[in-house]
Amino acid sequence: MNTLLALGGIMMFLAVALGAFGAHALKNKLTGDKSKTYQTGIQYHLAHSLGLLLLGVLSAQLGNGLLIVTAGWLLFAGILLFSGSLYALSLTGIRKLGAITPLGGLCFLAGWLLVIIEAFRG
């Protein structure tokens, strides 16, 4: 529980910091599609950071249920892979980095699937 809550807090902090950095320090560098790509990374980063916090609370109620904890780690991996690759892609323009993004999306989907399974099991 504490690990998921800490990860959620750290990820929320980073999402807000990176969002502000993108809106201010990078506003002249990130134009057009690069700005949209960066903002998509922020959007998913924020949403799944909130998900980590939710899973941290939920794991406490379930006694650190294995599926919920695993789901949390998958969301964390998804943030790193999905949002991280979008940040890198928008800042560097290296299109090959876009190949990593779907792996992060799969992590998000797998994590939420585990939450659904746990909900039906409970």
Side-chain angles (χ1 to χ4, degrees), residues 54-80:
L54 171 71
L55 294 180
V57 171
L58 194 57
S59 73
Q61 290 181 339
L62 298 174
N64 287 324
L66 180 61
L67 287 182
I68 295 299
V69 172
T70 303
W73 283 108
L74 283 166
L75 293 189
F76 178 66
I79 293 168
L80 295 179

PDB file of all heavy atoms in Angstrom, residues 54-80:
ATOM      1  N   LEU A  54      -5.282   5.552  -6.192  1.00  0.00           N
ATOM      2  CA  LEU A  54      -6.492   4.781  -5.947  1.00  0.00           C
ATOM      3  C   LEU A  54      -6.154   3.331  -5.604  1.00  0.00           C
ATOM      4  O   LEU A  54      -6.708   2.762  -4.656  1.00  0.00           O
ATOM      5  CB  LEU A  54      -7.404   4.832  -7.171  1.00  0.00           C
ATOM      6  CG  LEU A  54      -8.611   3.915  -7.159  1.00  0.00           C
ATOM      7  CD1 LEU A  54      -9.638   4.418  -6.158  1.00  0.00           C
ATOM      8  CD2 LEU A  54      -9.224   3.831  -8.542  1.00  0.00           C
ATOM      9  N   LEU A  55      -5.246   2.742  -6.348  1.00  0.00           N
ATOM     10  CA  LEU A  55      -4.871   1.352  -6.082  1.00  0.00           C
ATOM     11  C   LEU A  55      -4.142   1.212  -4.751  1.00  0.00           C
ATOM     12  O   LEU A  55      -4.273   0.181  -4.085  1.00  0.00           O
ATOM     13  CB  LEU A  55      -4.033   0.799  -7.228  1.00  0.00           C
ATOM     14  CG  LEU A  55      -4.769   0.661  -8.561  1.00  0.00           C
ATOM     15  CD1 LEU A  55      -3.835   0.096  -9.624  1.00  0.00           C
ATOM     16  CD2 LEU A  55      -6.012  -0.182  -8.433  1.00  0.00           C
ATOM     17  N   GLY A  56      -3.385   2.226  -4.358  1.00  0.00           N
ATOM     18  CA  GLY A  56      -2.749   2.192  -3.047  1.00  0.00           C
ATOM     19  C   GLY A  56      -3.776   2.137  -1.930  1.00  0.00           C
ATOM     20  O   GLY A  56      -3.656   1.351  -0.988  1.00  0.00           O
ATOM     21  N   VAL A  57      -4.818   2.938  -2.054  1.00  0.00           N
ATOM     22  CA  VAL A  57      -5.903   2.928  -1.056  1.00  0.00           C
ATOM     23  C   VAL A  57      -6.651   1.600  -1.116  1.00  0.00           C
ATOM     24  O   VAL A  57      -6.960   0.996  -0.085  1.00  0.00           O
ATOM     25  CB  VAL A  57      -6.859   4.127  -1.278  1.00  0.00           C
ATOM     26  CG1 VAL A  57      -8.091   4.018  -0.416  1.00  0.00           C
ATOM     27  CG2 VAL A  57      -6.123   5.434  -1.019  1.00  0.00           C
ATOM     28  N   LEU A  58      -6.933   1.141  -2.325  1.00  0.00           N
ATOM     29  CA  LEU A  58      -7.655  -0.111  -2.505  1.00  0.00           C
ATOM     30  C   LEU A  58      -6.875  -1.296  -1.961  1.00  0.00           C
ATOM     31  O   LEU A  58      -7.447  -2.197  -1.338  1.00  0.00           O
ATOM     32  CB  LEU A  58      -7.966  -0.311  -3.991  1.00  0.00           C
ATOM     33  CG  LEU A  58      -8.966  -1.366  -4.377  1.00  0.00           C
ATOM     34  CD1 LEU A  58     -10.318  -1.125  -3.707  1.00  0.00           C
ATOM     35  CD2 LEU A  58      -9.133  -1.385  -5.886  1.00  0.00           C
ATOM     36  N   SER A  59      -5.581  -1.304  -2.155  1.00  0.00           N
ATOM     37  CA  SER A  59      -4.773  -2.423  -1.661  1.00  0.00           C
ATOM     38  C   SER A  59      -4.802  -2.478  -0.139  1.00  0.00           C
ATOM     39  O   SER A  59      -4.743  -3.564   0.440  1.00  0.00           O
ATOM     40  CB  SER A  59      -3.337  -2.350  -2.177  1.00  0.00           C
ATOM     41  OG  SER A  59      -2.604  -1.332  -1.541  1.00  0.00           O
ATOM     42  N   ALA A  60      -4.918  -1.341   0.514  1.00  0.00           N
ATOM     43  CA  ALA A  60      -5.018  -1.321   1.973  1.00  0.00           C
ATOM     44  C   ALA A  60      -6.318  -1.975   2.420  1.00  0.00           C
ATOM     45  O   ALA A  60      -6.351  -2.722   3.400  1.00  0.00           O
ATOM     46  CB  ALA A  60      -4.933   0.103   2.498  1.00  0.00           C
ATOM     47  N   GLN A  61      -7.388  -1.714   1.690  1.00  0.00           N
ATOM     48  CA  GLN A  61      -8.688  -2.294   2.036  1.00  0.00           C
ATOM     49  C   GLN A  61      -8.718  -3.794   1.777  1.00  0.00           C
ATOM     50  O   GLN A  61      -9.435  -4.524   2.445  1.00  0.00           O
ATOM     51  CB  GLN A  61      -9.806  -1.611   1.266  1.00  0.00           C
ATOM     52  CG  GLN A  61     -10.055  -0.192   1.700  1.00  0.00           C
ATOM     53  CD  GLN A  61     -11.195   0.444   0.928  1.00  0.00           C
ATOM     54  OE1 GLN A  61     -11.550   0.013  -0.151  1.00  0.00           O
ATOM     55  NE2 GLN A  61     -11.767   1.483   1.515  1.00  0.00           N
ATOM     56  N   LEU A  62      -7.958  -4.242   0.794  1.00  0.00           N
ATOM     57  CA  LEU A  62      -7.958  -5.662   0.428  1.00  0.00           C
ATOM     58  C   LEU A  62      -6.817  -6.426   1.078  1.00  0.00           C
ATOM     59  O   LEU A  62      -6.602  -7.593   0.770  1.00  0.00           O
ATOM     60  CB  LEU A  62      -7.860  -5.808  -1.092  1.00  0.00           C
ATOM     61  CG  LEU A  62      -9.010  -5.222  -1.898  1.00  0.00           C
ATOM     62  CD1 LEU A  62      -8.709  -5.301  -3.386  1.00  0.00           C
ATOM     63  CD2 LEU A  62     -10.313  -5.952  -1.581  1.00  0.00           C
ATOM     64  N   GLY A  63      -6.074  -5.774   1.950  1.00  0.00           N
ATOM     65  CA  GLY A  63      -4.936  -6.445   2.579  1.00  0.00           C
ATOM     66  C   GLY A  63      -3.812  -6.706   1.595  1.00  0.00           C
ATOM     67  O   GLY A  63      -3.265  -7.798   1.541  1.00  0.00           O
ATOM     68  N   ASN A  64      -3.481  -5.683   0.797  1.00  0.00           N
ATOM     69  CA  ASN A  64      -2.410  -5.787  -0.200  1.00  0.00           C
ATOM     70  C   ASN A  64      -2.651  -6.930  -1.185  1.00  0.00           C
ATOM     71  O   ASN A  64      -1.760  -7.733  -1.442  1.00  0.00           O
ATOM     72  CB  ASN A  64      -1.031  -5.925   0.465  1.00  0.00           C
ATOM     73  CG  ASN A  64      -0.570  -4.630   1.073  1.00  0.00           C
ATOM     74  OD1 ASN A  64      -0.835  -3.563   0.532  1.00  0.00           O
ATOM     75  ND2 ASN A  64       0.099  -4.709   2.199  1.00  0.00           N
ATOM     76  N   GLY A  65      -3.861  -6.988  -1.731  1.00  0.00           N
ATOM     77  CA  GLY A  65      -4.206  -8.016  -2.716  1.00  0.00           C
ATOM     78  C   GLY A  65      -3.211  -8.053  -3.858  1.00  0.00           C
ATOM     79  O   GLY A  65      -2.850  -7.012  -4.412  1.00  0.00           O
ATOM     80  N   LEU A  66      -2.764  -9.251  -4.199  1.00  0.00           N
ATOM     81  CA  LEU A  66      -1.719  -9.430  -5.205  1.00  0.00           C
ATOM     82  C   LEU A  66      -2.104  -8.826  -6.555  1.00  0.00           C
ATOM     83  O   LEU A  66      -1.286  -8.187  -7.206  1.00  0.00           O
ATOM     84  CB  LEU A  66      -1.382 -10.909  -5.360  1.00  0.00           C
ATOM     85  CG  LEU A  66      -0.298 -11.238  -6.392  1.00  0.00           C
ATOM     86  CD1 LEU A  66       1.026 -10.579  -6.007  1.00  0.00           C
ATOM     87  CD2 LEU A  66      -0.134 -12.731  -6.535  1.00  0.00           C
ATOM     88  N   LEU A  67      -3.364  -9.010  -6.975  1.00  0.00           N
ATOM     89  CA  LEU A  67      -3.770  -8.480  -8.273  1.00  0.00           C
ATOM     90  C   LEU A  67      -3.732  -6.954  -8.288  1.00  0.00           C
ATOM     91  O   LEU A  67      -3.329  -6.354  -9.284  1.00  0.00           O
ATOM     92  CB  LEU A  67      -5.170  -8.977  -8.650  1.00  0.00           C
ATOM     93  CG  LEU A  67      -5.274 -10.445  -9.053  1.00  0.00           C
ATOM     94  CD1 LEU A  67      -6.715 -10.776  -9.449  1.00  0.00           C
ATOM     95  CD2 LEU A  67      -4.324 -10.789 -10.165  1.00  0.00           C
ATOM     96  N   ILE A  68      -4.136  -6.340  -7.191  1.00  0.00           N
ATOM     97  CA  ILE A  68      -4.151  -4.873  -7.130  1.00  0.00           C
ATOM     98  C   ILE A  68      -2.730  -4.331  -7.119  1.00  0.00           C
ATOM     99  O   ILE A  68      -2.415  -3.355  -7.807  1.00  0.00           O
ATOM    100  CB  ILE A  68      -4.956  -4.375  -5.906  1.00  0.00           C
ATOM    101  CG1 ILE A  68      -6.425  -4.767  -6.058  1.00  0.00           C
ATOM    102  CG2 ILE A  68      -4.796  -2.881  -5.711  1.00  0.00           C
ATOM    103  CD1 ILE A  68      -7.122  -4.185  -7.278  1.00  0.00           C
ATOM    104  N   VAL A  69      -1.857  -4.949  -6.362  1.00  0.00           N
ATOM    105  CA  VAL A  69      -0.460  -4.512  -6.320  1.00  0.00           C
ATOM    106  C   VAL A  69       0.188  -4.695  -7.694  1.00  0.00           C
ATOM    107  O   VAL A  69       0.891  -3.802  -8.191  1.00  0.00           O
ATOM    108  CB  VAL A  69       0.320  -5.265  -5.223  1.00  0.00           C
ATOM    109  CG1 VAL A  69       1.803  -4.962  -5.301  1.00  0.00           C
ATOM    110  CG2 VAL A  69      -0.222  -4.891  -3.843  1.00  0.00           C
ATOM    111  N   THR A  70      -0.068  -5.821  -8.338  1.00  0.00           N
ATOM    112  CA  THR A  70       0.462  -6.063  -9.680  1.00  0.00           C
ATOM    113  C   THR A  70      -0.091  -5.028 -10.655  1.00  0.00           C
ATOM    114  O   THR A  70       0.646  -4.505 -11.505  1.00  0.00           O
ATOM    115  CB  THR A  70       0.127  -7.489 -10.150  1.00  0.00           C
ATOM    116  OG1 THR A  70       0.650  -8.422  -9.198  1.00  0.00           O
ATOM    117  CG2 THR A  70       0.717  -7.771 -11.519  1.00  0.00           C
ATOM    118  N   ALA A  71      -1.388  -4.724 -10.529  1.00  0.00           N
ATOM    119  CA  ALA A  71      -1.999  -3.698 -11.380  1.00  0.00           C
ATOM    120  C   ALA A  71      -1.293  -2.361 -11.189  1.00  0.00           C
ATOM    121  O   ALA A  71      -1.045  -1.639 -12.156  1.00  0.00           O
ATOM    122  CB  ALA A  71      -3.488  -3.564 -11.068  1.00  0.00           C
ATOM    123  N   GLY A  72      -0.960  -2.036  -9.952  1.00  0.00           N
ATOM    124  CA  GLY A  72      -0.248  -0.787  -9.681  1.00  0.00           C
ATOM    125  C   GLY A  72       1.103  -0.741 -10.369  1.00  0.00           C
ATOM    126  O   GLY A  72       1.479   0.277 -10.960  1.00  0.00           O
ATOM    127  N   TRP A  73       1.829  -1.840 -10.311  1.00  0.00           N
ATOM    128  CA  TRP A  73       3.134  -1.879 -10.975  1.00  0.00           C
ATOM    129  C   TRP A  73       2.987  -1.782 -12.482  1.00  0.00           C
ATOM    130  O   TRP A  73       3.818  -1.183 -13.166  1.00  0.00           O
ATOM    131  CB  TRP A  73       3.917  -3.127 -10.561  1.00  0.00           C
ATOM    132  CG  TRP A  73       4.498  -2.986  -9.195  1.00  0.00           C
ATOM    133  CD1 TRP A  73       4.101  -3.610  -8.055  1.00  0.00           C
ATOM    134  CD2 TRP A  73       5.569  -2.115  -8.805  1.00  0.00           C
ATOM    135  NE1 TRP A  73       4.854  -3.186  -6.986  1.00  0.00           N
ATOM    136  CE2 TRP A  73       5.766  -2.272  -7.418  1.00  0.00           C
ATOM    137  CE3 TRP A  73       6.378  -1.218  -9.493  1.00  0.00           C
ATOM    138  CZ2 TRP A  73       6.745  -1.573  -6.712  1.00  0.00           C
ATOM    139  CZ3 TRP A  73       7.355  -0.518  -8.782  1.00  0.00           C
ATOM    140  CH2 TRP A  73       7.526  -0.697  -7.417  1.00  0.00           C
ATOM    141  N   LEU A  74       1.912  -2.364 -13.018  1.00  0.00           N
ATOM    142  CA  LEU A  74       1.674  -2.240 -14.461  1.00  0.00           C
ATOM    143  C   LEU A  74       1.349  -0.801 -14.842  1.00  0.00           C
ATOM    144  O   LEU A  74       1.796  -0.316 -15.884  1.00  0.00           O
ATOM    145  CB  LEU A  74       0.550  -3.192 -14.888  1.00  0.00           C
ATOM    146  CG  LEU A  74       0.961  -4.653 -14.995  1.00  0.00           C
ATOM    147  CD1 LEU A  74      -0.264  -5.553 -15.086  1.00  0.00           C
ATOM    148  CD2 LEU A  74       1.882  -4.871 -16.183  1.00  0.00           C
ATOM    149  N   LEU A  75       0.569  -0.102 -14.011  1.00  0.00           N
ATOM    150  CA  LEU A  75       0.283   1.310 -14.295  1.00  0.00           C
ATOM    151  C   LEU A  75       1.568   2.130 -14.250  1.00  0.00           C
ATOM    152  O   LEU A  75       1.781   3.009 -15.083  1.00  0.00           O
ATOM    153  CB  LEU A  75      -0.740   1.883 -13.314  1.00  0.00           C
ATOM    154  CG  LEU A  75      -2.155   1.341 -13.381  1.00  0.00           C
ATOM    155  CD1 LEU A  75      -3.082   2.177 -12.490  1.00  0.00           C
ATOM    156  CD2 LEU A  75      -2.696   1.277 -14.788  1.00  0.00           C
ATOM    157  N   PHE A  76       2.408   1.843 -13.275  1.00  0.00           N
ATOM    158  CA  PHE A  76       3.686   2.547 -13.165  1.00  0.00           C
ATOM    159  C   PHE A  76       4.539   2.308 -14.411  1.00  0.00           C
ATOM    160  O   PHE A  76       5.084   3.247 -15.003  1.00  0.00           O
ATOM    161  CB  PHE A  76       4.424   2.085 -11.902  1.00  0.00           C
ATOM    162  CG  PHE A  76       5.772   2.713 -11.717  1.00  0.00           C
ATOM    163  CD1 PHE A  76       5.906   4.069 -11.486  1.00  0.00           C
ATOM    164  CD2 PHE A  76       6.918   1.934 -11.769  1.00  0.00           C
ATOM    165  CE1 PHE A  76       7.165   4.654 -11.311  1.00  0.00           C
ATOM    166  CE2 PHE A  76       8.177   2.500 -11.588  1.00  0.00           C
ATOM    167  CZ  PHE A  76       8.286   3.863 -11.368  1.00  0.00           C
ATOM    168  N   ALA A  77       4.630   1.046 -14.836  1.00  0.00           N
ATOM    169  CA  ALA A  77       5.384   0.728 -16.055  1.00  0.00           C
ATOM    170  C   ALA A  77       4.757   1.421 -17.265  1.00  0.00           C
ATOM    171  O   ALA A  77       5.472   1.927 -18.139  1.00  0.00           O
ATOM    172  CB  ALA A  77       5.416  -0.789 -16.274  1.00  0.00           C
ATOM    173  N   GLY A  78       3.431   1.472 -17.294  1.00  0.00           N
ATOM    174  CA  GLY A  78       2.749   2.145 -18.393  1.00  0.00           C
ATOM    175  C   GLY A  78       3.082   3.624 -18.458  1.00  0.00           C
ATOM    176  O   GLY A  78       3.288   4.172 -19.545  1.00  0.00           O
ATOM    177  N   ILE A  79       3.137   4.263 -17.305  1.00  0.00           N
ATOM    178  CA  ILE A  79       3.502   5.686 -17.275  1.00  0.00           C
ATOM    179  C   ILE A  79       4.901   5.880 -17.839  1.00  0.00           C
ATOM    180  O   ILE A  79       5.139   6.754 -18.681  1.00  0.00           O
ATOM    181  CB  ILE A  79       3.407   6.261 -15.845  1.00  0.00           C
ATOM    182  CG1 ILE A  79       1.960   6.306 -15.363  1.00  0.00           C
ATOM    183  CG2 ILE A  79       4.041   7.659 -15.772  1.00  0.00           C
ATOM    184  CD1 ILE A  79       1.801   6.586 -13.874  1.00  0.00           C
ATOM    185  N   LEU A  80       5.828   5.044 -17.372  1.00  0.00           N
ATOM    186  CA  LEU A  80       7.211   5.172 -17.841  1.00  0.00           C
ATOM    187  C   LEU A  80       7.311   4.937 -19.344  1.00  0.00           C
ATOM    188  O   LEU A  80       7.960   5.718 -20.056  1.00  0.00           O
ATOM    189  CB  LEU A  80       8.117   4.193 -17.101  1.00  0.00           C
ATOM    190  CG  LEU A  80       8.279   4.412 -15.599  1.00  0.00           C
ATOM    191  CD1 LEU A  80       9.185   3.328 -15.009  1.00  0.00           C
ATOM    192  CD2 LEU A  80       8.823   5.792 -15.288  1.00  0.00           C
TER     193      LEU A  80
END
